[in-house]
Amino acid sequence: MLESGEIEIQIEDQKFKLSSGKISIIFPEQISSVTSTSSDVSGKIILFEEVLFCSDILKNELLSYNVDLATHLNCVFLSPSEFEQSKKLAIDIENVYLNPSLVRKEQARFYIKIFLLGLIELVHGQHPVLQHETDKTLYIRFKKMLNERYKNERTVQYYASKLAITTKKLNNITKKHCDETAINAIHNRILQEIKRLLLFSDLSHKQISMELGFSSPSALNKFVKTKLKETPTELQEELAQIYNR
C-alpha cells in the first residue's frame, strides 16, 4: 500500500508502477520483484501467511467472485477516501500481528476478507465476473483441478472427462475466460512451476524434471525450448537477472 513516492514492481511478465493511493496484491503463486523505488517512499507491506491469506479465503470463499483475481488485483488505484478505509483495515491487521493469539488471528481473517472484498468491488466494473453461471463454475473447477494435478495430468481429455464435458467445450470455456486454449492453460501452469523452481529452489534440472513428472531432463529441456525458445539454463539466467538484481 503506497502512501507516497513511487515503486516499480515486476509480477510474472508484467511491470507495474505504484504511486500514492495504489495497492498491489501479490498472490502466493506469483513470482515478483521490486525493481526500483523513489527516495520518498512510504506505505505498508503486509505479508500474509498462506494458510490465512490463500487457502481458505482466496482458493475457496472468494474464487467465485472473479476467476482471475490475481491479475486484476496486481495493481488497483483507490480514491483518497477508499485508500483511507483500506489503510485503517491494514492497521487493524498489523495490530493483530504485533500481538497475535488464536482468537485475534481469527479476527485477522475477517479483516483480510473485508479488505479483499472491498478491492474486488472496486475492480468489478472494469472486470465483471462471469455472467454465465455454468461456465463460471466449470472454469473455476478446471483451474482448481489443474493447480492440484498438473504435475501428473497434462491432457485436455483428462480434465474434460473429469468435468463431464467435451474437449471442445472446455476449450471454448478457457478461450472465453482466459483467452487461451485448454492445453496452453495446462502448459502455462507447468511453465510457472518450472520458473519458480529454477528461481527459488536448489534443485538440479534432473530433480526438477522428476518433481514435475517429466520422463527425463531432456524432456524438460525440449518442453521449455518449445514453449519459450530457450533452454532451462538460459531461462534460469534470465530469471536471475530479472528478480535478483
Side-chain angles (χ1 to χ4, degrees):
M1 299 181 62
L2 209 60
E3 296 179 59
S4 65
E6 290 186 345
I7 294 177
E8 288 188 358
I9 57 175
Q10 176 143 352
I11 304 175
E12 301 292 348
D13 298 325
Q14 299 293 316
K15 292 183 179 180
F16 301 97
K17 180 176 287 187
L18 302 185
S19 54
S20 178
K22 286 187 177 180
I23 294 177
S24 177
I25 304 292
I26 302 172
F27 285 59
E29 72 273 10
Q30 292 182 317
I31 301 173
S32 65
S33 174
V34 174
T35 56
S36 68
T37 62
S38 63
S39 59
D40 58 340
V41 165
S42 69
K44 290 189 178 296
I45 297 176
I46 304 175
L47 178 63
F48 303 110
E49 294 175 347
E50 184 170 348
V51 171
L52 183 67
F53 175 64
C54 184
S55 296
D56 288 346
I57 295 176
L58 292 180
K59 287 184 178 177
N60 300 314
E61 297 178 36
L62 300 187
L63 190 57
S64 61
Y65 286 86
N66 199 312
V67 295
D68 199 11
L69 272 179
T71 301
H72 296 156
L73 296 183
N74 280 162
C75 185
V76 182
F77 178 75
L78 287 74
S79 69
S81 61
E82 291 163 344
F83 188 80
E84 284 302 314
Q85 290 176 0
S86 294
K87 194 164 72 169
K88 288 178 182 177
L89 280 170
I91 292 171
D92 289 335
I93 295 167
E94 182 180 12
N95 288 336
V96 170
Y97 276 84
L98 291 174
N99 186 23
S101 70
L102 192 59
V103 173
R104 286 171 62 78
K105 281 192 174 184
E106 193 62 25
Q107 289 177 329
R109 273 175 47 85
F110 289 101
Y111 289 145
I112 293 168
K113 188 172 181 179
I114 292 168
F115 184 89
L116 293 172
L117 283 172
L119 294 181
I120 291 169
E121 180 66 22
L122 287 175
V123 302
H124 182 269
Q126 301 171 7
H127 309 284
V129 295
L130 305 179
Q131 297 300 313
H132 197 290
E133 191 66 29
T134 302
D135 276 7
K136 181 181 76 171
T137 301
L138 286 170
Y139 182 76
I140 290 169
R141 287 176 60 198
F142 167 65
K143 294 292 282 188
K144 187 173 183 179
M145 197 185 308
L146 177 59
N147 280 329
E148 294 170 350
R149 307 181 191 182
Y150 69 92
K151 292 182 181 180
N152 301 310
E153 303 296 344
R154 303 184 178 182
T155 66
V156 178
Q157 179 61 46
Y158 172 83
Y159 293 100
S161 65
K162 289 296 182 181
L163 295 170
I165 59 177
T166 64
T167 55
K168 182 178 180 180
K169 173 70 173 178
L170 180 55
N171 269 312
N172 287 340
I173 290 173
T174 57
K175 284 179 181 177
K176 178 180 177 183
H177 302 310
C178 66
D179 197 28
E180 62 182 359
T181 62
I183 192 64
N184 278 341
I186 295 168
H187 287 172
N188 286 337
R189 182 63 186 89
I190 298 167
L191 276 174
Q192 183 186 61
E193 198 62 23
I194 290 172
K195 289 179 181 179
R196 187 206 309 281
L197 293 174
L198 287 173
L199 186 60
F200 296 117
S201 78
D202 295 323
L203 298 179
S204 67
H205 292 178
K206 180 179 180 179
Q207 290 171 316
I208 290 175
S209 66
M210 294 175 61
E211 171 71 16
L212 298 183
F214 288 93
S215 59
S216 65
S218 61
L220 171 69
N221 188 84
K222 182 178 179 181
F223 177 78
V224 174
K225 188 79 172 179
T226 300
K227 301 301 291 186
L228 300 178
K229 311 302 181 188
E230 58 185 345
T231 66
T233 299
E234 292 168 339
L235 174 60
Q236 191 168 26
E237 291 172 353
E238 180 186 329
L239 292 169
Q241 288 178 356
I242 294 173
Y243 293 104
N244 293 333
R245 54 188 166 188

